[in-house]
Amino acid sequence: MNFQSGVHIKKEWDIVGARQLGRNRAKELGFGTVDQARIATAISELARNIYLYAGTGRVSFEIVEDINKKGLKIVAADEGPGILDISQVMEDGFSTSGGLGAGLPGVKRLMDDFDIDSVQGEGTVITTIKWVR
Amino acid sequence: MKPLKLDVKSYQELLKQYIVSEDETSLYQAEQFSKMSMQQKISPEEIIDVHIQALKELYPDLPAEIDASLDFLMETMISYGLAYQEFQSLREKQVELQSEISVAASMQQSLLSTTKPNVKGIDIGAISVPANQMNGDYYHFVNDDAGYLGIAIADVIGKGIPAALAMSMIKYSMDSFRETQRNPKTVLENLNRVVERNVDSSMFITMYYGLFNLNTNLLQFSSAGHEPGFYYNASKDEFFDIEGNGLVLGVMNNASYEQYEIQMEKDDIVILLTDGVTECRIGDRFIEREEILEVIKEYIHLPAQEAVESVYKYFEKLQDFHLRDDFTLIFLKKNV
């Protein structure tokens, strides 16, 4: 079974909704408490980015299966301004919000697989997966 | 994750031992555990997770409130863990940068190296110390067969890597001038054009160029806005400022420079320096020129090289061994 679900992000409150839904999916999949917390933090970062820089967008969840493992796939998509310099936003120490450990490098560390597509003026799609250990 | 599983057991034993005896030994071992975890790049939330697991096995009937509060603590630590990982990766990057800069610094040293010439009748001392790894000050001696000694001292406004890069350009331009172009006024006018054309307009270079005639003992010199040096006249036993108020290099394409002369006699001394010397700070204030002269007077009787090194050591100590700017000092002592 491969059901999909998601949360539309348009106000700060929606970040909490996305975290909650993601955590529930993670629990169902059998993630431990530390990984659940990591997934929730990654969702926060992704949803916050949408809220702050694109205004609106969507965070969706999908259960993915590989030969011998299961994982949670998170897709954060928006139709915002896009990212001009992806290398720069993926760099440690570069953060527009100013926090250490925040931003996309943090999401990459919290999750296992990470992929980003961004077209200027069209939007950004970030796809990231955490596998159940 | 496997080595962590192993650690839960040992952590659990440590925890149990401590709860029973509250001894310092367990706490010391906890410290070791914490250090080992850092070496293994285990983040704080994982330590808390280990603690929760160990605690639940030791006390299966933990109150639900405590249980929930521990989960809450773990969630709170996630961002600290991330920040710690970022810090680690930035630290690695910093080490890489450091080693890259020290390669560049040693390359600069060999590019800008100058040998202090052995000239009969003049005792020369020279020292140049960068505030950071790369030097934005520069001095150079040119000793030719025709009996002339050229002395250059220059300072890029600013310090660090950009200043050091600009300095390499000065050195190579000077190397490319023909010997007929060695009179100070011409040297500075030519360099000014090079700097004006090639260097960003926000970067300025001050420079002093002197040409000493070993046969007539006449020192001719020009200055492009360089920090005035001192001239010690032995017969009057007096120190004078060395004039020179030309425009700094790189401001105006066709700047022209005045040329001055000093007829040097026995025991006369010429002292050249950069603003790293005059802008030494003592606490909140800059040192006064008179104070610098007092320090110089104290060591001037020494052989020139020993003297410049002693003056440097004095100012280094005065500034708590932390230079704010590149420091260059040259003594030319006429001893015959």
Side-chain angles (χ1 to χ4, degrees):
Chain A
M1 193 188 74
N2 191 6
F3 78 98
Q4 210 178 329
S5 57
V7 173
H8 196 68
I9 308 290
K10 37 180 199 287
K11 47 189 194 302
E12 192 168 13
W13 181 251
D14 296 325
I15 299 171
V16 177
R19 283 179 61 110
Q20 185 64 65
L21 187 57
R23 191 188 295 273
N24 291 345
R25 294 282 166 277
K27 258 186 209 162
E28 288 159 21
L29 270 164
F31 280 104
T33 45
V34 180
D35 277 347
Q36 284 177 34
R38 286 181 178 144
I39 289 167
T41 307
I43 295 167
S44 267
E45 287 296 334
L46 293 170
R48 259 192 98 71
N49 276 349
I50 292 174
Y51 170 70
L52 287 176
Y53 305 114
T56 61
R58 190 177 168 80
V59 178
S60 359
F61 305 98
E62 198 182 317
I63 290 160
V64 285
E65 277 180 69
D66 209 346
I67 308 160
N68 51 8
K69 55 183 177 179
K70 268 187 176 185
L72 180 66
K73 182 177 177 181
I74 306 165
V75 181
D78 66 61
E79 292 173 5
I83 297 164
L84 183 62
D85 186 346
I86 295 181
S87 309
Q88 194 182 37
V89 299
M90 291 309 295
E91 211 174 284
D92 277 322
F94 176 87
S95 166
T96 40
S97 53
L100 190 66
L104 294 181
V107 175
K108 199 177 171 182
R109 285 204 175 92
L110 291 164
M111 304 293 285
D112 294 320
D113 298 354
F114 183 94
D115 189 39
I116 176 167
D117 275 307
S118 187
V119 178
Q120 247 195 297
E122 288 180 24
T124 304
V125 178
I126 296 170
T127 310
T128 179
I129 301 173
K130 186 99 184 153
W131 299 104
V132 182
R133 281 174 231 271
Chain B
M1 274 324 232
K2 258 198 178 151
L4 197 69
K5 279 270 182 254
L6 273 172
D7 284 0
V8 176
K9 266 269 159 279
S10 50
Y11 185 88
Q12 194 179 333
E13 274 161 30
L14 271 179
L15 183 64
K16 192 173 159 189
Q17 190 190 323
Y18 179 70
I19 291 174
V20 172
S21 63
E22 292 197 20
D23 60 337
E24 199 60 39
T25 314
S26 316
L27 291 180
Y28 174 67
Q29 282 170 312
E31 178 196 312
Q32 301 300 316
F33 185 90
S34 148
K35 282 181 177 160
M36 253 172 54
S37 306
M38 278 203 257
Q39 278 166 5
Q40 303 285 319
K41 296 188 173 161
I42 292 167
S43 50
E45 73 268 19
E46 283 171 291
I47 301 257
I48 293 171
D49 191 45
V50 167
H51 182 84
I52 296 171
Q53 287 179 45
L55 199 62
K56 279 183 180 168
E57 275 188 44
L58 288 172
Y59 304 97
D61 303 323
L62 220 54
E65 293 89 343
I66 301 291
D67 208 2
S69 85
L70 288 169
D71 284 342
F72 191 85
L73 175 65
M74 204 242 326
E75 293 272 342
T76 313
M77 292 312 286
I78 293 272
S79 291
Y80 278 91
L82 269 185
Y84 178 69
Q85 285 176 49
E86 181 175 9
F87 169 75
Q88 287 293 354
S89 103
L90 287 173
R91 207 168 73 162
E92 279 161 29
K93 232 188 253 179
Q94 195 206 7
V95 170
E96 272 170 43
L97 275 175
Q98 279 288 348
S99 77
E100 224 171 282
I101 291 171
S102 55
V103 171
S106 72
M107 187 169 166
Q108 188 207 16
Q109 253 174 15
S110 59
L111 280 176
L112 298 187
S113 68
T114 182
T115 37
K116 211 178 56 177
N118 259 324
V119 183
K120 218 182 141 203
I122 296 193
D123 180 19
I124 302 174
I127 189 169
S128 186
V129 184
N132 300 321
Q133 285 199 59
M134 294 183 84
N135 204 337
D137 281 0
Y138 166 64
Y139 72 89
H140 192 58
F141 295 105
V142 194
N143 189 20
D144 67 14
D145 302 333
Y148 285 96
L149 172 67
I151 309 123
I153 180 167
D155 180 5
V156 181
I157 310 294
K159 57 182 177 346
I161 296 169
L165 289 174
M167 257 329 150
S168 304
M169 189 188 66
I170 291 281
K171 144 107 179 178
Y172 283 95
S173 315
M174 267 177 48
D175 279 352
S176 69
F177 297 156
R178 275 175 307 225
E179 287 210 347
T180 48
Q181 295 172 314
R182 70 187 162 196
N183 86 51
K185 175 180 157 63
T186 320
V187 168
L188 291 190
E189 282 165 6
N190 287 339
L191 279 177
N192 175 60
R193 268 193 297 277
V194 174
V195 174
E196 201 270 334
R197 272 183 218 154
N198 295 289
V199 175
D200 186 273
S201 60
S202 65
M203 188 175 268
F204 302 110
I205 299 171
T206 74
M207 182 162 174
Y208 169 99
Y209 191 81
L211 187 69
F212 185 70
N213 185 327
L214 296 165
N215 299 312
T216 63
N217 293 329
L218 184 71
L219 175 69
Q220 297 176 292
F221 61 91
S222 292
S223 170
H226 195 75
E227 183 70 30
F230 300 102
Y231 162 60
Y232 173 70
N233 183 314
S235 64
K236 290 183 185 156
D237 189 23
E238 242 181 283
F239 282 86
F240 298 93
D241 279 356
I242 290 178
E243 8 174 10
N245 40 15
L247 205 55
V248 297
L249 300 179
V251 174
M252 216 170 69
N253 186 337
N254 54 357
S256 65
Y257 294 91
E258 280 198 58
Q259 193 160 301
Y260 306 86
E261 290 178 0
I262 293 175
Q263 182 64 50
M264 282 185 82
E265 307 292 347
K266 185 175 184 303
D267 294 331
D268 283 0
I269 303 166
V270 164
I271 295 155
L272 303 173
L273 36 77
T274 58
D275 61 9
V277 181
T278 51
E279 286 175 12
C280 276
R281 269 175 209 259
I282 318 169
D284 293 339
R285 69 176 183 94
F286 286 122
I287 193 168
E288 302 284 336
R289 255 176 96 77
E290 291 75 41
E291 293 175 79
I292 292 167
L293 203 50
E294 287 309 313
V295 178
I296 288 174
K297 279 178 186 166
E298 204 157 305
Y299 297 104
I300 199 88
H301 62 281
L302 296 169
Q305 190 58 37
E306 212 182 314
V308 289
E309 280 166 16
S310 302
V311 173
Y312 168 68
K313 278 187 189 137
Y314 180 91
F315 283 116
E316 188 191 28
K317 196 174 170 179
L318 196 68
Q319 300 194 88
D320 286 332
F321 303 95
H322 184 84
L323 292 185
R324 267 86 167 174
D325 195 2
D326 308 328
F327 182 109
T328 301
L329 184 64
I330 296 176
F331 285 179
L332 303 166
K333 298 174 77 175
K334 180 93 186 71
N335 52 15
V336 179

